[in-house]
Structures are given as structure tokens and as C-alpha cells.
Amino acid sequence: MNGKIIAVAVALVICAALAGCAEERSETVSETGTSVSTVTSSAASETESETTSLTTSLTTAETEKTTVSETVETVQTEAVPKIEVSDLKAISGEKLYFTPECRIIEDIMCENEADFPAPEHIALARRTAFADEKCTDEINRHNEDAANENGFIPVKTADDIAFSVGACYDFDGDGELESVVVLDLCPTPSWFLGCSAIYYIDGTNILNIGFGGIPGANVYVLDFGTDKFVQVDKYNSITSMGSDIYRACGDTLEPEIVLNSTNWIEYLNGVFYCTIKYAYMDYPIVFCEDGKFRQLGIKEITEEDFAAHFENGQEYLDCLKADGNTVTAIYTMGYYRYQIDTDNDSVTFYIDKNGDTVVGNDVRDNIASHIYDNSLTEEVDYSIDISKLDVIPYSE
């Protein structure tokens, strides 16, 4: 009996001990679980914090990169603006070159033979033309038509040659009248447009200064004071003409600018612009202080020289380069016409005759290799800059 009680008591003590251990283990596990849970939560929090921080950093970096990129693009856009040829602004520099003022005397033409001040000059011109083989060829061709057509006016004597127009003036300043007389070799009506012979007469001296396709001409006096010239515009056809300039000296005219092509000459601000129809461009010519006409030659200049002649010249060159072009050469004709060669193309343009507007041309105006360089006047000047040209007031 006592043994059973002792066994039961021992069993109860063991169970109690086991229960206590279990409770203690449970508490330990719970505490350990809490601890693990806490550590895990802390690690997750730190990971989340690091992820958030990294994401924020990457976002900030991308934003900064975008900002930098936008800034770079903005800087590039501001540094290389898009400039066209027409945007160039020419600069007029300090006056370093000088030309005498030219007074152009117009309205000296006479169309009525009865009003011509020197009728003897017309008579001399008629006799000379009637004896000139080149004139008689035209006259004979006209007379063949006149023989077969009613109403045609034949030319049988010198007096039958028609007076077209003329100018009588003291061209050389010697106090006596000289004349430019234009004769119609094929009096209308005619199947031909006509043919004219042009003569310069001083006293009994006579000089043929050309033939025209249509009877008629305009004559001007170019007076520089001590030097005087005669400009004759003759008509080659209905749509073309030829302008020639002669020096009036003594009893004759000496050619200064005489071309065998369709051309016309315009004077403005001290410069004579000779436009040649089939060259598709005009050429600046300056009357120099030593009394000679000189065409402005073509020369190569530097980028710095080009930029110095335009307010935004360097910006324009930078724009060409930003578009992928390499500037290989720059040429100018008196700083009036320009040509910029690149490894891709050529750009040609000129300054408006008033000096403030830039006008673009196509590539056929390639001035660097043009055939008319060094051919319009006896001498060529490569130094005169028309943007720095000043006109000396007229003086007797």
C-alpha cells in the first residue's frame, strides 16, 4: 500500500517537473520566436528602407540626368541658333577706300533729225555707212526685200539711210560739240527687226562704235570732273542690249568697258555694276582716284575676315558646322559677292546694292571659278572693300 502511494507520488512529482519544463520551454520558445520575429521585422524594415532609399536615389539620378540632358540640349540650342543666309546682317566699316563722285548727264538724246544741233555730223555718218562693207551687206539684203514687196523703202543713196536717234554734247570738255549718231540701215517696213550703225563724230573725225540689232540707243555722259566718259546702251534685240563705256579724249573715244555680250551697267553709291545676262550675275567696278576703272577681283578670305563683315557671321559659320559641314574655303568679290565652300556644297550670295540686305543665289553663281574674273577692265583690284568705300564729292 505504501509502495503504491510512493509510486503515485513520484509520478505526480515527475509530471509536475515535466510540466514546469514544458512551460519554461514554451516561454523560451515564445521569447525566441518574438526575438526572431523582431529581428525579421527589423531586417525587412531595413531592406525596405534601403530599397526605398535606392529607388529614391535612382529616381533622383534619372531626374538629374534628364535635367542635365535637357540643360545640355538647351545650351546647344542657344549656342548654335539656326541662321539662314537671309538672316546675315552686313556691317559697313570705317571708310578706307575712295572713289570720285560720278555725275550722270541724261536726257541728251534727240529723236527728230530736224532738231539735231549738228546736221553735218548726220550727213558724215550717212556717207561713212554707205561706204562701209558691213553696212552695205545689210542694206543690200533689205533692198532685195524692197524689190519684192510693195511699201518697202529701198536704200539707193547715202541720203536714204534713216536717222534713228542721236546725242550732241561737249563730251570731252573742249568747248565744241561732239555727236553720237545712230543710223537705221533698214528703214521700215522690213522683214528684219533692223540693223543700226552707231558713230561718234568730232569735227571731221568719225569713229564706228558698234552695230545694233534694233535702231536706237541711249547715250549718257559720265562726268567725274577731270575725267569724262560716254556710256552707250545699244539694243541687240527686243530683249537684249549692250552697255559700253568709252573715254572721251581729243577727237576720239577709247574703250574702257566694251563687251561682246548682252550686258547692262548700273551706277549706285560709287560702284558700277556690270550685269552679264548669260553669266547670271553682276560684277562690281570702281573708278579709282588715278583715273582708271577696275573690276573687283575674286580672292579667298579667312573665316575671321568673313565674320568681321557680318554682325552674325561667326554664328552663321557655326550653324553650317553644326549641320555637319566642314568649311573648306570662303571667297569674295569686293566684299559684295560671297561664296562659302563646304565638303558637302557651296553657298553663294551677295549684298544688296544699298548694302543692308543679303540675297542668296544658286550654285551656278560659282564666283571662284567664273570665266569673267579679270576680263571686264584692263586692270583688276583685289583689295577694295565696297563696304568701306566712300565717295569723294564732285569737283570741277
Side-chain angles (χ1 to χ4, degrees), residues 63-78:
T63 303
E64 290 176 353
K65 181 179 178 182
T66 303
T67 304
V68 170
S69 177
E70 290 177 352
T71 302
V72 171
E73 290 178 0
T74 302
V75 170
Q76 289 178 343
T77 302
E78 292 177 354

Side-chain angles (χ1 to χ4, degrees), residues 253-285:
L253 294 180
E254 295 181 355
E256 289 284 337
I257 304 173
V258 178
L259 310 177
N260 295 318
S261 62
T262 298
N263 71 292
W264 54 95
I265 298 174
E266 178 186 11
Y267 175 78
L268 187 64
N269 299 329
V271 181
F272 290 85
Y273 296 93
C274 181
T275 300
I276 300 178
K277 182 176 181 181
Y278 295 109
Y280 304 101
M281 62 190 297
D282 55 3
Y283 300 80
I285 298 172

